[in-house]
Amino acid sequence: MMGDLEVEKHVQFVLSVEKKKDDFESVAMEHIRINGAYWGLTTLDLLGKLGVVDQDEVISWIMKCQDESGGFGGNIGHDPHIMYTLSAVQVLALYDKLDVLDIDKVSSYVSGLQNEDGSFSGDIWGEIDTRFSYIAICCLSILGRLEKLNVQKAVAYIVSCKNMDGGFGCTPGGESHSGQIFCCVAALAITGSLHHIDKDLLGWWLCERQVKSGGLNGRPEKLPDVCYSWWVLSSLIIIDRVHWIDKEKLAAFILNCQDKENGGISDRPEDAVDVFHTFFGVAGLSLLEYPGVKAIDPAYALPVDVVDRIFIGRR
């Protein structure tokens, strides 16, 4: 028998994370607080509880994280990075407040991080990773400014990171990994380029990630982790191979990772909970069409109603 999702306890857990300012976990998270806000607030929205947080407070804090370059830092006064910029845009999209942005300025920051070979750097220091390709494409698609990128070169770079096993790595020749695969598959989906993927080969690699407990791992011989319920499952849905895994066993694994006393979801059963795994657990259940959880878009990692609102508004 599958346990139930402890919705109210998870809501309280997310709220408690936002309120804690001085314990170890919040100090450790301080530099990525804007990512934490995206994980926490999207979790609340998927559970139909976004209204429990003060919207104006969130938006004014988000806007204080913006740098004069147009990019956003992980917290107020922190250096901008493409990753934090996407989280800021996603949170504003949740609240239907993209209009508070100077969209041209943000999109110029993101497009300025594209390199000659089509790849993207995360910030001015220049680390390159296919995660940043996804982030740039996702961010500018939400903002309606994809044409500011060289999309053809961006796609060609992602395709150059494809491996013999059908998966993708962080740079050409890098080992296939579920997190990178999600980034590459979702970026190819957003740009209408899924024909570059061998869906059966990649689908097989991804469904092999399911272990006996029902959970999914990131690559062969690794332990299962709730966050892969998102990375693997969303990729399988995008390439239409999700029927190749045992969905019920995966849902049971996620529910087993709940802290039923205090709320929150952990990486695997009995471990400590955190907001990152709480979001990916709830997002995984959403992809599994678990009752009472709103549908999430597998490419944009935002609720389907939010994504619909963004794109229908542009027609």
Side-chain angles (χ1 to χ4, degrees), residues 42-295:
T42 310
T43 301
L44 292 177
D45 198 11
L46 291 172
L47 298 175
K49 305 283 184 181
L50 189 59
V52 300
V53 176
D54 182 331
Q55 169 180 330
D56 296 337
E57 210 177 290
V58 172
I59 291 166
S60 91
W61 172 73
I62 291 271
M63 294 311 291
K64 285 179 190 151
C65 295
Q66 192 172 21
D67 177 79
E68 64 260 17
S69 63
F72 285 77
N75 209 330
I76 297 169
H78 289 220
D79 289 344
H81 192 285
I82 199 169
M83 193 165 66
Y84 307 134
T85 303
L86 175 61
S87 286
V89 167
Q90 286 170 316
V91 170
L92 293 171
L94 283 178
Y95 286 114
D96 198 13
K97 290 288 183 194
L98 291 171
D99 56 356
V100 303
L101 287 171
D102 177 338
I103 287 178
D104 287 327
K105 195 169 184 186
V106 179
S107 40
S108 293
Y109 170 76
V110 173
S111 60
L113 292 167
Q114 187 167 24
N115 301 306
E116 193 45 48
D117 63 357
S119 67
F120 286 83
S121 302
D123 59 15
I124 54 167
W125 305 109
E127 182 197 358
I128 292 172
D129 191 308
T130 44
R131 281 182 309 155
F132 308 146
S133 300
Y134 163 70
I135 287 169
I137 287 166
C138 182
C139 191
L140 292 198
S141 178
I142 291 170
L143 295 175
R145 294 288 191 280
L146 256 186
E147 76 283 351
K148 284 205 148 195
L149 301 180
N150 186 327
V151 173
Q152 203 179 346
K153 275 190 168 181
V155 167
Y157 180 77
I158 291 168
V159 172
S160 76
C161 297
K162 187 165 66 168
N163 291 321
M164 300 288 284
D165 55 19
F168 293 83
C170 51
T171 48
E175 180 189 9
S176 294
H177 182 280
S178 302
Q180 304 295 151
I181 288 170
F182 160 76
C183 291
C184 295
V185 169
L188 293 174
I190 292 169
T191 55
S193 313
L194 286 174
H195 56 278
H196 289 293
I197 295 172
D198 182 331
K199 293 177 183 171
D200 284 343
L201 186 61
L202 177 57
W204 179 248
W205 191 93
L206 289 166
C207 77
E208 290 260 279
R209 305 281 60 76
Q210 191 162 35
V211 301
K212 277 201 180 77
S213 64
L216 299 162
N217 62 20
R219 49 203 166 115
E221 310 301 330
K222 296 288 180 183
L223 290 170
D225 185 317
V226 156
C227 67
Y228 295 115
S229 312
W230 169 260
W231 310 116
V232 174
L233 205 53
S234 52
S235 302
L236 283 169
I237 288 170
I238 292 169
I239 64 170
D240 199 22
R241 298 294 182 275
V242 74
H243 51 286
W244 287 5
I245 61 159
D246 186 329
K247 293 190 198 174
E248 270 188 28
K249 275 183 83 172
L250 176 57
F253 174 79
I254 298 171
L255 292 167
N256 273 336
C257 293
Q258 297 180 101
D259 179 337
K260 288 188 170 281
E261 300 296 307
N262 304 306
I265 298 174
S266 57
D267 57 350
R268 51 191 75 91
E270 310 301 328
D271 282 359
V273 300
D274 58 61
V275 70
F276 172 84
H277 289 94
T278 302
F279 166 60
F280 286 115
V282 170
L285 291 171
S286 168
L287 292 175
L288 292 166
E289 300 173 331
Y290 189 87
V293 182
K294 277 169 56 172

Side-chain angles (χ1 to χ4, degrees), residues 92-96 304-314:
L92 293 171
L94 283 178
Y95 286 114
D96 198 13
V304 167
D305 59 350
V306 172
V307 175
D308 286 348
R309 187 172 66 202
I310 292 166
F311 292 104
I312 289 165
R314 290 203 186 121

